[in-house]
Amino acid sequence: MGNIAGNSAGQEKPLILLGLGGVGRALLSQILEQRALHGERYGLRMRFLAVCDSSGAVEEPEGGFTEESLAGVLQHKEAGSTLASHPLGRSYRSPEAVVEELGGPGTVVVDCTASDGTAGALLLALERGCQVVLANKKPLTVVQDVYDGISRSSGQARWETTVGAGLPVIATLNRLVSSGDEIERIAGSFSGTLGYVMTGLEAGRAYSETVAEAYRLGYTEPDPRDDLGGVDVARKALILARGIGWRIEMEQVEVRGLYPERMAGLSVDGFLAELPSLDEEFRGQVAGAALEGKVLRYAATLSEGACSVGLTAVAEDSPLGRLRGTDNLVEFYSRWYNPNPLVIQGRGAGVEATAAGVLSDIVELQLQ
Ligand SMILES: NC(=O)c1ccc[n+]([C@@H]2O[C@H](COP(=O)([O-])OP(=O)(O)OC[C@H]3O[C@@H](n4cnc5c(N)ncnc54)[C@H](OP(=O)(O)O)[C@@H]3O)[C@@H](O)[C@H]2O)c1
């Protein structure tokens, strides 16, 4: 960060926020909470041009949003209403239309949606001289061309929270790449939910029991197969692979889920009821790994141009092997980090930590 504490020059940072779900709302709240810090330390004031959800947008009124009016937008969303139904809101064609209308040089377009429909808006934003920040993995994991369009924007885009939420995983990868270090292998656990399940298996619990418990505690998505299928982890692995510089599409990522195809069509209740049929198989795999001094992790592995996601036996005394519970952990093995890897570990999800990571991306873009 190239700015000095106590900068009082005062600079407005116009923002267009796409997505006002858990992360988007936490971000808006944190921006309001951190106004004094940003003003005093960086001479920076975030100014909302528009906030958008899937229904529409609330655009900046004449004279600007007040803190109260933004708090009112938050309350409106928290009450379950759509932005299109807000007194200042209107429905819209697409996020692209908002960028077209309001986005200019220096505006930051922040993608806190979970939609694959924002790529056009982000590319248009960059074309118009805006900066972009993504918490949303999807635009970075569609075809390579879109990733290239976003990443080749001369440093005008950031997506730190797409892998490991607030953890500095992408920043670390970028530093290894930019120094010319050779990344030999990356291995990581990027799902708190699957970490929880793996810890349960290791403690001798039945697979069905740990999954049912994670479901009951709300650790899984409403349909646990959205976690157990591994696709979200595969998206993170693909973002890392592309970050290394590999030209790779999602179809080339080998994804081994934690349930068989025959269970894909069941209802959620039917799926949970069928889970005990998998217990013996998992028990056998845990025992097989233990015989070799290994433990099972649901890991993303990038090595020698190949990217895979699935159940992996790792040495029990390795950083991944020592991992317990829901933390994320990533090991980078490179020319300079070998045989001991560079390791990052910590909370890898949660709307507040993610929003803080997004906010930090916005500030860094301004200060670079
Ligand atoms: N939650 C975490 O811990 C975490 C961690 C790292 C990264 N992320 C990523 O952060 C993103 C947001 O997560 P979240 O938990 O906040 O999701 P969420 O609660 O489902 O919120 C998604 C928001 O995006 C809006 N939206 C959907 N399609 C849109 C579109 N085409 N244009 C504008 N807005 C659109 C939704 O509108 P409605 O309100 O109208 O439905 C909603 O407000 C996701 O991509 C997620 O993968 C989340």
Side-chain angles (χ1 to χ4, degrees):
M1 292 194 185
N3 218 332
I4 46 162
N7 180 347
S8 60
Q11 197 171 2
E12 281 200 330
K13 193 71 195 158
L15 300 180
I16 296 173
L17 175 56
L18 306 177
L20 212 53
V23 174
R25 292 201 301 273
L27 176 66
L28 206 165
S29 298
Q30 289 186 22
I31 286 175
L32 295 179
E33 280 162 26
Q34 302 306 335
R35 280 234 191 275
L37 170 85
H38 292 146
E40 284 161 20
R41 194 170 172 89
Y42 308 115
L44 190 62
R45 184 181 167 81
M46 314 275 179
R47 170 183 162 207
F48 285 93
L49 301 183
V51 291
C52 313
D53 67 5
S54 65
S55 75
V58 173
E59 288 179 16
E60 184 182 43
E62 192 86 18
F65 280 115
T66 60
E67 310 236 326
E68 293 68 35
S69 58
L70 284 170
V73 171
L74 271 182
Q75 277 165 12
H76 184 81
K77 271 308 276 182
E78 268 152 18
S81 308
T82 64
L83 289 183
S85 70
H86 186 274
L88 295 173
R90 60 172 179 82
S91 56
Y92 65 171
R93 268 187 299 121
S94 66
E96 244 163 304
V98 177
V99 172
E100 177 94 51
E101 184 190 331
L102 301 173
T107 300
V108 188
V109 178
V110 186
D111 185 352
C112 288
T113 75
S115 163
D116 55 10
T118 55
L122 300 175
L123 292 171
L124 175 68
L126 290 166
E127 226 172 78
R128 295 173 66 105
C130 303
Q131 299 169 315
V132 305
V133 172
L134 301 88
N136 180 13
K137 292 173 278 295
K138 290 183 178 160
L140 298 166
T141 52
V142 292
V143 290
Q144 178 85 45
D145 277 356
V146 174
Y147 178 90
D148 291 346
I150 295 171
S151 65
R152 282 197 197 127
S153 55
S154 324
Q156 298 308 303
R158 290 275 197 283
W159 53 90
E160 183 57 75
T161 58
T162 57
V163 182
L167 301 177
V169 177
I170 305 284
T172 302
L173 176 70
N174 288 344
R175 288 176 67 84
L176 294 175
V177 169
S178 65
S179 70
D181 195 356
E182 282 160 26
I183 295 171
E184 289 164 10
R185 190 157 73 90
I186 300 176
S189 175
F190 294 115
S191 162
T193 311
L194 299 183
Y196 182 85
V197 171
M198 291 302 118
T199 300
L201 287 183
E202 205 176 325
R205 300 180 64 196
Y207 175 67
S208 57
E209 194 191 316
T210 53
V211 172
E213 186 176 76
Y215 174 71
R216 230 181 12 256
L217 292 171
Y219 291 173
T220 70
E221 293 293 327
D223 184 337
R225 280 166 293 197
D226 290 344
D227 299 292
L228 299 171
V231 172
D232 190 61
V233 177
R235 285 205 180 94
K236 296 173 185 177
L238 180 60
I239 291 171
L240 292 178
R242 288 178 168 172
I244 297 174
W246 297 357
R247 315 285 302 164
I248 178 169
E249 298 293 345
M250 191 64 173
E251 304 77 65
Q252 295 166 268
V253 180
E254 184 195 337
V255 188
R256 303 183 303 275
L258 290 179
Y259 64 91
E261 189 55 37
R262 67 180 162 80
M263 289 168 68
L266 301 174
S267 65
V268 171
D269 285 345
F271 175 76
L272 291 170
E274 191 61 25
L275 275 178
S277 68
L278 305 178
D279 287 348
E280 264 324 296
E281 189 189 325
F282 279 102
R283 210 167 268 133
Q285 291 198 51
V286 171
L291 282 177
E292 298 173 11
K294 293 186 171 176
V295 289
L296 296 181
R297 294 289 174 261
Y298 196 85
T301 310
L302 291 83
S303 177
E304 296 179 0
C307 186
S308 66
V309 168
L311 212 53
T312 309
V314 302
E316 61 186 357
D317 61 352
S318 66
L320 263 180
R322 289 193 297 269
L323 179 68
R324 298 286 180 282
T326 58
D327 268 6
N328 279 196
L329 186 148
V330 56
E331 303 170 345
F332 290 97
Y333 293 87
S334 71
R335 189 156 46 131
W336 308 127
Y337 293 95
N338 221 328
N340 293 337
L342 189 167
V343 178
I344 296 170
Q345 177 180 354
R347 170 198 286 261
V351 295
E352 295 294 346
T354 305
V358 171
L359 182 49
S360 179
D361 274 352
I362 297 170
V363 174
E364 283 193 7
L365 274 174
Q366 178 62 17
L367 301 182
Q368 69 185 352

